[in-house]
Amino acid sequence: MKYTYYIFIFFFVSISAQESVAIKFIDSVNLKTETLISVDNFNTVFYVNNNIIHKKTDTKTITYNNLQLGNLSTVNTFNPLKINLFYKDFNTVVVLDNRLAEVFKIDFSTLSTYKNVSHITTGYDNTLWIFNQDLQKLELFDYKTKTTRAQTAPVQSEVLDIKSNYNFCWLLTKNYLYTYNYFGSLVKKIKNTGYTALTESNENIILKSENTLFYIPKDNDVKIPIDTSNLLINQFFVVNETLYIYGNNVLSKYQLKIQ
C-alpha cells in the first residue's frame, strides 16, 4: 500500500513539475475553409464552407448540404459511420453515414416531449448527448426510440462547448468543466478560469484560453500549457498524440511531446 502511494506521489509531482508540453512540427498544408472539423488517421479532412460539409480524401471530395435547415451550427465526426450535423435554428440533427448519405433525422420540436437543444455531441450506440436549454440539463438521448436514457443535474451557467467519446461527456461552461459518465453521473468538476473551447483524445483534455492551449491528463487535474509559440489558433483538435492547429488558411500538424 505504501509502495503504491509513493508511485502516485512521484507521478503527480513529475506531471506538476513539467512547465509546459512541447510540440514538434510534422508538416502543414494550405487549406482555405470557413470551419475545419477534423482530420482522421487516414488524412481524411472534414470541413464546412457555405453551410456545406466536405469530406476530402487523397482521391476525391464528397459533400452534403441541406439548405432547408439553414445554418449548420456544429458537426461531430467522432464516429465516422454516424456523423452528426446540428442545425440549431431548426432544432434538428441529421445523421450521415461515411458516404455523407442521410440515414436519420431528428426534429426535437416535433417530439411528444419538446426539447429546446443548444448543443449536441455523439454518444454510444444510437445516442446523442444533447443539452436541453429549457431544463439546463445534459441528456443522453436515443434518437431511434426517441427516449432519454440518462440525464444530469441542472447546470447553472452558460454552456460554451461540449465533447464526448463512448464513455464520457465533457461539458464546458463559463464556471466549470464537467465530466459525466454515460449514466449521467458527475465524475469530475474543474473550475473554469477563462477557457472557451475544448477537445479530447483518449480521455486527455485540451483546453483553449484566448490563443493558448492547456493539456489536462486523464488521471489528474493539472493544467499544463502547450508551447504553441503564439500560433494563431482558429480551430484545434488532437488525434492520438498528434495536435492539429488551423489558422491563417494553414492546417499544421504537430507531435505532442508529453514527458
Side-chain angles (χ1 to χ4, degrees):
M1 184 70 181
K2 184 180 291 186
Y3 179 71
T4 303
Y5 172 79
Y6 283 124
I7 289 177
F8 173 78
I9 290 297
F10 175 78
F11 174 78
F12 182 81
V13 170
S14 298
I15 289 290
S16 301
Q18 186 173 349
E19 294 182 359
S20 65
V21 174
I23 59 175
K24 179 182 179 182
F25 177 76
I26 300 174
D27 61 29
S28 64
V29 294
N30 293 325
L31 178 65
K32 188 174 182 180
T33 181
E34 293 173 0
T35 306
L36 179 67
I37 304 302
S38 65
V39 180
D40 66 16
N41 289 323
F42 304 101
N43 290 321
T44 301
V45 183
F46 292 88
Y47 60 94
V48 175
N49 278 330
N50 298 318
N51 288 313
I52 300 172
I53 181 171
H54 298 70
K55 179 182 179 181
K56 182 179 183 298
T57 66
D58 292 335
T59 57
K60 63 180 179 179
T61 299
I62 57 176
T63 63
Y64 171 88
N65 69 82
N66 194 323
L67 300 178
Q68 293 179 335
L69 294 177
N71 292 329
L72 179 56
S73 302
T74 58
V75 179
N76 188 290
T77 60
F78 176 76
N79 182 345
L81 301 178
K82 295 178 180 178
I83 299 166
N84 300 319
L85 279 58
F86 180 43
Y87 296 86
K88 185 176 179 180
D89 292 344
F90 282 78
N91 208 26
T92 296
V93 170
V94 174
V95 181
L96 308 179
D97 64 16
N98 62 339
R99 298 166 299 160
L100 301 191
E102 186 175 315
V103 294
F104 220 88
K105 184 177 177 182
I106 311 102
D107 184 346
F108 294 103
S109 300
T110 62
L111 299 179
S112 57
T113 302
Y114 171 80
K115 297 181 186 296
N116 182 16
V117 178
S118 65
H119 295 76
I120 72 106
T121 188
T122 300
Y124 65 91
D125 197 13
N126 299 309
T127 64
L128 299 168
W129 284 103
I130 65 172
F131 190 77
N132 189 322
Q133 201 164 229
D134 291 341
L135 301 179
Q136 289 291 291
K137 289 182 178 181
L138 193 61
E139 301 180 16
L140 184 62
F141 181 76
D142 187 320
Y143 55 80
K144 286 197 171 179
T145 63
K146 298 180 181 179
T147 57
T148 298
R149 294 192 186 182
Q151 61 181 332
T152 68
V155 174
Q156 301 301 328
S157 62
E158 179 186 350
V159 175
L160 302 178
D161 202 357
I162 181 173
K163 292 293 185 295
S164 62
N165 59 23
Y166 295 127
N167 297 316
F168 298 98
C169 183
W170 292 267
L171 187 71
L172 180 65
T173 73
K174 277 196 170 182
N175 294 340
Y176 294 97
L177 170 63
Y178 299 91
T179 305
Y180 299 98
N181 61 23
Y182 57 81
F183 296 112
S185 300
L186 181 64
V187 176
K188 190 184 295 186
K189 177 179 171 182
I190 301 173
K191 187 171 180 59
N192 185 353
T193 55
Y195 307 111
T196 56
L198 82 150
T199 190
E200 75 85 28
S201 177
N202 299 322
E203 298 174 15
N204 302 299
I205 300 299
I206 308 290
L207 291 165
K208 181 174 183 279
S209 177
E210 296 181 344
N211 206 49
T212 304
L213 300 179
F214 294 84
Y215 175 82
I216 303 180
K218 65 180 179 180
D219 298 322
N220 62 71
D221 299 340
V222 178
K223 304 180 189 72
I224 310 169
I226 299 174
D227 185 9
T228 55
S229 301
N230 296 318
L231 291 168
L232 177 63
I233 305 170
N234 290 337
Q235 276 98 40
F236 68 100
F237 47 90
V238 178
V239 180
N240 296 324
E241 290 189 359
T242 303
L243 171 66
Y244 292 86
I245 294 178
Y246 180 67
N248 287 331
N249 297 326
V250 176
L251 173 61
S252 300
K253 184 178 177 181
Y254 300 89
Q255 178 186 353
L256 281 171
K257 301 179 72 175
I258 301 168
Q259 296 178 357

